[in-house]
């Protein structure tokens, strides 16, 4: 992770902890989840909103007014709306995407779920995905959601990342290991 990304993740984690704890205390986790999904969709669909949260040319007051208006119009959970306004005041709106990720992780953890990032050479079939999720769930002890992607450069096999653990059974990594072993010998 690059330094700016880790700084963003650290800032987002602190805001996420505060927002999550308040929402949990108010028994509003469902409302919070709906709000972060709506906010993520708005960020994905609106280059103007992305520009607003990332632009150093927009003043604190303009960012605060705009993000509050957007949050009100979207019906965002009040705790998240107030947090966004505070983040605008502190010039921290640039971490909103990391905040959304951190909140999703906290919500999944509260439900006893974990997301597995799976990279394969070809798209997994539904049966393969379900079998992998079941196997991982037995290992991890939580419900596993598969987030699959395709990367033909791994040639075959899988690269699975669950939390901080990574299992790389790709042909590419095995070939790299073999190449390194051959360099040591010769």
């Amino acid at each position: 992770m690059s330094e700016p990304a880790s700084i963003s993740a650290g800032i987002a984690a602190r805001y996420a902890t505060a927002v999550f704890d308040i929402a949990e205390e108010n028994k509003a986790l469902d409302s919070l989840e709906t709000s972060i999904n709506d906010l993520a969709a708005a960020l994905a669909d609106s280059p103007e909103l992305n520009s607003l949260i990332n632009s150093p040319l927009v003043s604190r007051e303009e960012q605060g007014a705009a993000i509050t208006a957007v949050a009100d119009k979207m019906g965002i959970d009040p705790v998240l709306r107030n947090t966004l306004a505070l983040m605008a005041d502190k010039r921290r709106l640039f971490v909103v995407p990391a905040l959304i990720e951190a909140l999703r992780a906290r919500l999944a953890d509260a439900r006893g779920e974990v997301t597995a990032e799976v990279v394969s050479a070809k798209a997994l079939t539904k049966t393969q995905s379900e079998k992998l999720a079941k196997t991982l769930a037995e290992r991890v002890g939580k419900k596993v959601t598969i987030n699959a992607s395709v990367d033909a450069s791994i040639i075959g096999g899988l690269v699975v990342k669950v939390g901080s653990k990574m299992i790389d059974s790709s042909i590419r990594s095995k070939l790299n290991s073999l190449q390194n072993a051959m360099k040591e010998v010769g």
Side-chain angles (χ1 to χ4, degrees):
M1 189 180 294
S2 68
E3 190 174 332
S6 67
I7 291 170
S8 293
I11 294 168
R14 290 189 295 274
Y15 280 108
T17 298
V19 170
F20 181 84
D21 289 347
I22 293 168
E24 187 175 42
E25 202 173 281
N26 295 335
K27 299 189 182 349
L29 292 179
D30 291 338
S31 170
L32 177 63
E33 185 168 24
T34 302
S35 293
I36 62 171
N37 289 337
D38 292 347
L39 184 59
L43 282 171
D45 295 342
S46 174
E48 294 85 9
L49 185 56
N50 271 308
S51 177
L52 170 77
I53 68 171
N54 289 309
S55 176
L57 302 176
V58 180
S59 72
R60 292 173 198 249
E61 295 77 23
E62 291 171 327
Q63 275 187 334
I67 200 71
T68 301
V70 168
D72 286 341
K73 182 109 174 142
M74 291 175 61
I76 297 288
D77 182 76
V79 173
L80 185 56
R81 185 186 76 71
N82 292 341
T83 302
L84 291 171
L86 176 66
M87 290 171 76
D89 187 51
K90 302 287 185 188
R91 303 287 295 174
R92 299 273 196 257
L93 282 180
F94 66 94
V95 302
V96 168
L99 173 70
I100 290 170
E101 269 185 51
L103 283 169
R104 283 184 171 157
R106 295 289 306 263
L107 287 163
D109 191 46
R111 289 189 304 260
E113 296 175 355
V114 67
T115 300
E117 302 292 329
V118 177
V119 180
S120 58
K122 292 182 181 176
L124 296 175
T125 65
K126 185 176 181 184
T127 306
Q128 290 171 326
S129 187
E130 289 171 354
K131 190 173 181 181
L132 180 60
K134 183 180 176 193
T135 303
L136 289 172
E138 290 171 2
R139 290 277 181 124
V140 177
K142 295 182 177 183
K143 182 177 183 263
V144 176
T145 304
I146 302 288
N147 186 5
S149 60
V150 176
D151 180 1
S153 72
I154 68 168
I155 304 169
L158 296 173
V159 178
V160 180
K161 184 176 180 194
V162 180
S164 63
K165 295 183 181 179
M166 184 168 133
I167 303 163
D168 188 347
S169 67
S170 67
I171 302 296
R172 179 180 61 195
S173 73
K174 291 179 181 178
L175 288 171
N176 288 340
S177 296
L178 184 59
Q179 182 181 25
N180 288 336
M182 291 177 76
K183 283 180 183 177
E184 290 176 12
V185 172

